[in-house]
Amino acid sequence: MNKIKFIYILIILSLITLNTKLFSDESVYIVYKVNNQIITNKDVEKEQQYLISLNNRLKELDEARMLEVSKESALREKIKKIELEKYFNFETLELNVDIYLENFYKTLNINNKNEFEQYLKKNNISLNYIKNKIQIEVLWNQLIYDQYISQINIDKNELKKKLQETYNNLDQKVYSLSEILFENEISTDFDKRLKDITQSINEVGFNNTANLYSVSDSAKFGGKIGWVEEKKLSKKIIEELQTLEAGQYTNPIQTGGLFLILKIEEIKYEKAKINEEEELNKMVQFETSKQLDQFSKIFYKKIKINNTIDEL
């Protein structure tokens, strides 16, 4: 190789190195490496836009805290997708998520798909981006169902007894609830963990704190669960809620290996029209979903440990 060619190659390599550095420093850089897959700063920025579109009050958080919420959310989804790829071929998968889309935008109090698309456009998010996220959640829930449905334990007689106790009530109490479901790591002092969460509620509000600390899927909506009839709640939760008014929240309630804090957003009373068989089925479904959600948290925690995660 002559000298001119050698110098030319060096120049090209230098330019490539320089451009790569500029590109990394000013445009795109890796935030996480999960096994052989990456999460970039652009992924995290997009996740932040997505989370704010679901809970606009997140804008009240300072930049550093919002960044941590977005990073953790992006990491959680990446870990889930890596696991799902062991069971599903995303390239050939034909899953119609439109049937789930309506429930998604109605959670945001949006009336129809056109309004939802306009809302997303204002937040610089595409409908396909949302559909991809829904697809991951649908497949994840399907995986959890397939793996754990045989382990669900429901006492129908106990539920029926509970239903009959409220059968003759003319009015039923209904709560609009938000939740913070958190775990306490072995290395973390529980009182300190609770103090941090309580302080956060006082500083940035319950819903923003749900985004920061809750491990429940409802965290992306600021912890909002929606309206729940009192009779569908456990005795322990009812006892906690009965002492509270709208705007107040419970002490931590242990549920499995996790801790639950519930906030009452609103309370209303409805005339009870009870079809015993129908209501029993609803209670069974609710309890099944609750137990599957617990299994989902356990399974995610297990696969997270088994992944190689490097924060760069």
Side-chain angles (χ1 to χ4, degrees):
M1 183 183 296
N2 61 44
K3 185 177 180 181
I4 293 175
K5 280 188 177 181
F6 181 75
I7 292 173
Y8 178 77
I9 291 171
L10 285 178
I11 291 171
I12 295 297
L13 288 173
S14 297
L15 287 173
I16 291 172
T17 303
L18 177 61
N19 286 336
T20 301
K21 186 176 188 305
L22 288 172
F23 183 72
S24 175
D25 290 347
E26 298 180 8
S27 184
V28 179
Y29 56 86
I30 298 172
V31 177
Y32 286 113
K33 188 174 181 183
V34 186
N35 299 340
N36 62 341
Q37 298 191 30
I38 62 171
I39 299 172
T40 70
N41 62 314
K42 294 299 181 183
D43 296 324
V44 174
E45 288 171 15
K46 198 70 177 177
E47 190 71 13
Q48 179 170 321
Q49 291 173 321
Y50 166 71
L51 291 173
I52 289 174
S53 74
L54 301 184
N55 178 15
N56 204 251
R57 293 191 64 185
L58 281 173
K59 289 180 179 178
E60 300 168 10
L61 295 180
D62 62 68
E63 188 176 339
R65 298 180 86 179
M66 187 65 237
L67 177 61
E68 286 305 311
V69 171
S70 305
K71 284 169 61 178
E72 180 59 33
S73 183
L75 177 62
R76 186 184 301 115
E77 183 174 82
K78 176 65 73 175
I79 291 171
K80 284 184 176 182
K81 188 173 182 183
I82 289 172
E83 183 67 21
L84 289 171
E85 285 170 344
K86 298 175 184 177
Y87 303 88
F88 305 98
N89 187 335
F90 278 75
E91 293 182 5
T92 60
L93 189 67
E94 294 183 7
L95 178 65
N96 182 10
V97 299
D98 286 339
I99 59 176
Y100 304 96
L101 196 60
E102 184 177 357
N103 288 334
F104 190 91
Y105 62 68
K106 283 191 173 179
T107 304
L108 299 170
N109 296 319
I110 295 174
N111 296 319
N112 55 58
K113 188 176 178 180
N114 288 335
E115 285 184 20
F116 184 49
E117 290 189 72
Q118 291 301 313
Y119 178 78
L120 293 177
K121 192 174 181 181
K122 289 178 183 177
N123 287 278
N124 196 29
I125 299 171
S126 71
L127 187 61
N128 281 338
Y129 183 80
I130 297 295
K131 285 184 175 182
N132 287 335
K133 285 187 167 292
I134 292 175
Q135 182 186 59
I136 290 171
E137 287 306 310
V138 169
L139 292 176
W140 176 263
N141 290 337
Q142 182 179 322
L143 177 62
I144 297 301
Y145 182 91
D146 291 342
Q147 293 208 11
Y148 292 102
I149 189 62
S150 62
Q151 298 183 43
I152 297 298
N153 182 22
I154 296 175
D155 187 341
K156 285 190 177 182
N157 290 329
E158 183 63 30
L159 291 180
K160 192 171 184 178
K161 180 181 175 182
K162 185 177 178 182
L163 180 61
Q164 289 170 344
E165 287 174 356
T166 60
Y167 190 84
N168 294 321
N169 290 346
L170 294 177
D171 293 318
Q172 60 180 352
K173 200 171 188 179
V174 188
Y175 295 99
S176 176
L177 299 173
S178 294
E179 67 175 350
I180 297 173
L181 186 68
F182 67 97
E183 55 188 342
N184 194 54
E185 302 291 346
I186 296 174
S187 59
T188 306
D189 179 77
F190 177 79
D191 290 336
K192 183 181 183 305
R193 181 76 166 168
L194 181 58
K195 183 180 178 182
D196 290 341
I197 291 173
T198 304
Q199 184 175 337
S200 177
I201 292 172
N202 292 333
E203 290 177 355
V204 302
F206 191 94
N207 300 114
N208 285 340
T209 301
N211 282 102
L212 288 168
Y213 290 97
S214 183
V215 297
S216 173
D217 289 336
S218 66
K220 64 172 72 77
F221 295 106
K224 291 181 180 178
I225 300 173
W227 290 100
V228 182
E229 296 167 5
E230 184 179 57
K231 66 177 180 287
K232 292 182 179 177
L233 300 169
S234 71
K235 184 178 179 182
K236 187 190 298 186
I237 289 176
I238 291 173
E239 287 174 353
E240 284 280 344
L241 293 178
Q242 283 178 339
T243 64
L244 303 178
E245 298 176 355
Q248 297 180 319
Y249 56 89
T250 67
N251 295 314
I253 303 165
Q254 189 161 7
T255 168
L258 302 173
F259 295 89
L260 175 68
I261 300 175
L262 289 170
K263 179 190 175 186
I264 302 177
E265 302 288 353
E266 295 180 63
I267 302 174
K268 66 181 180 181
Y269 293 87
E270 295 180 343
K271 290 294 180 185
K273 298 178 181 179
I274 299 176
N275 178 313
E276 189 170 335
E277 183 178 354
E278 183 180 322
E279 290 301 314
L280 182 61
N281 287 335
K282 286 181 182 178
M283 293 174 78
V284 170
Q285 289 173 11
F286 184 82
E287 184 63 29
T288 300
S289 296
K290 189 170 72 172
Q291 291 187 31
L292 285 173
D293 190 55
Q294 291 289 328
F295 282 121
S296 176
K297 303 298 178 295
I298 294 167
F299 185 67
Y300 173 78
K301 195 171 182 180
K302 182 174 73 173
I303 64 170
K304 183 179 181 181
I305 293 171
N306 291 333
N307 280 276
T308 302
I309 302 169
D310 296 313
E311 186 171 4
L312 305 175

